[in-house]
Amino acid sequence: PGWEAVCGLVREALADKEFVANYILNSTEKRKIAYEDPDLGFCVCIHTYEGAARGAPHDHGPTWAIYGQAEGETEMTDWEMVTPPSDGKPGKVRKTKSYTMKPGDAHLYEPGDIHAPLREHPTRLLRIEGANTDKIERTPMEPA
């Protein structure tokens, strides 16, 4: 797939100060779907987070996502599945690495990739999703 090419386009968009000011920094919604393709189903989203937050480990179900850091910093931790979910119990995951996303950075999460964000201060993201993640089921999981 052309995910890496799309990741490069997200980096280009984040380098455009006028684009960031007009479309990302002006947004006040926590999650705004700026565009959802009616044929292919992908979404362009703007995310605005005002305070500190720690996200739980999660995947994007059967789809992919590209996170583009527009403002602030996000410490992202990648995880791997240790025990898959079964019998109504969530899967168990283990940390594999952490890294800091800074303005201009973009990172691809392929289907099945597990990650968790940590934000200490306000942040804004440009995120492209292969499908609207509001409408998909995700794998239940928790740290091992």
Side-chain angles (χ1 to χ4, degrees), residues 22-144:
N22 289 333
Y23 296 101
I24 301 175
L25 302 184
N26 282 338
S27 180
T28 57
E29 299 173 52
K30 184 174 181 180
R31 174 182 164 85
K32 175 183 176 184
I33 298 178
Y35 175 77
E36 185 168 359
D37 189 272
D39 298 319
L40 300 176
F42 71 87
C43 295
V44 177
C45 305
I46 308 299
H47 290 263
T48 302
Y49 301 104
E50 294 302 333
R54 177 182 296 276
H58 66 279
D59 64 11
H60 295 109
T63 194
W64 53 271
I66 295 171
Y67 285 54
Q69 192 79 31
E71 183 178 68
E73 293 185 358
T74 301
E75 180 185 320
M76 197 67 79
T77 300
D78 290 348
W79 301 71
E80 66 181 8
M81 186 70 67
V82 176
T83 308
S86 65
D87 301 324
K89 295 179 183 172
K92 300 290 185 182
V93 294
R94 172 181 71 207
K95 292 180 187 181
T96 58
K97 71 176 181 177
S98 292
Y99 46 95
T100 300
M101 293 186 64
K102 297 180 180 188
D105 290 347
H107 191 87
L108 165 65
Y109 298 95
E110 295 185 24
D113 285 353
I114 303 166
H115 58 280
L118 171 64
R119 299 174 189 91
E120 297 289 344
H121 304 284
T123 60
R124 293 176 194 266
L125 306 173
L126 171 62
R127 189 164 102 172
I128 314 294
E129 303 171 345
N132 185 337
T133 58
D134 289 339
K135 301 175 183 175
I136 62 171
E137 189 172 324
R138 297 182 188 211
T139 308
M141 60 188 78
E142 60 188 23

Side-chain angles (χ1 to χ4, degrees), residues 2-23:
W3 297 325
E4 286 300 335
V6 176
C7 210
L9 292 171
V10 169
R11 286 186 196 98
E12 283 182 35
L14 294 172
D16 182 334
K17 293 187 185 317
E18 188 173 323
F19 172 83
V20 170
N22 289 333
Y23 296 101

